[in-house]
Amino acid sequence: QVQLVESGGGLVQAGGSLRLSCSGSGRAFSSYDMGWFRQTPGKEREFVAHISWSGGITDYADSVKGRFTISKDNARNTLYLQMSNLKPEDTAVYYCAAERERATHNPRDYDYWGQGTQVTVSS
């Protein structure tokens, strides 16, 4: 089993940057594909980015491509999301998730979730 804890959210002006972290427990962390999702009130949880267990394969939603970078440090059991050139529409609760099989864009495929961290981008 994997427990995930996100951190790094906050309030930032449009055009600014934030780095989210997701710390994982358990020796199996390095074997999981990982993803970042976000959600706003009344909307479905939305795919943001995912990364393979080794870090060699990444994928991004079109809305964040070129602005966000996902990375994984297996030695530290930590997943990151570097967010740059933030826009008000990036405002959401951001969640990290772990997947035992292959990471996908579908949140229902993921096995473990963190509690979320709020990101607010002011215009």
Side-chain angles (χ1 to χ4, degrees), residues 10-23:
L11 174 64
V12 63
Q13 287 189 331
S17 299
L18 279 177
R19 188 176 79 159
L20 304 183
S21 299
C22 171
S23 296

Side-chain angles (χ1 to χ4, degrees), residues 22-108:
C22 171
S23 296
S25 65
R27 289 180 290 178
F29 179 88
S30 61
S31 65
Y32 284 79
D33 284 8
M34 303 288 296
W36 285 100
F37 292 79
R38 64 188 183 187
Q39 191 170 23
T40 54
K43 292 192 174 181
E44 296 278 325
R45 197 162 290 189
E46 175 190 28
F47 167 74
V48 175
H50 69 62
I51 189 167
S52 61
W53 65 272
S54 65
I57 300 172
T58 58
D59 192 20
Y60 297 90
D62 288 342
S63 59
V64 307
K65 204 169 289 185
R67 300 187 299 120
F68 291 11
T69 302
I70 188 171
S71 61
K72 190 171 186 265
D73 186 340
N74 287 331
R76 290 184 166 84
N77 277 13
T78 304
L79 174 75
Y80 301 100
L81 185 69
Q82 177 67 48
M83 304 185 294
S84 302
N85 191 21
L86 282 159
K87 305 175 181 180
E89 51 264 42
D90 294 318
T91 296
V93 177
Y94 283 72
Y95 298 89
C96 65
E99 163 58 55
R100 283 175 291 197
E101 302 294 333
R102 181 179 296 180
T104 70
H105 292 198
N106 188 345
R108 294 177 177 82

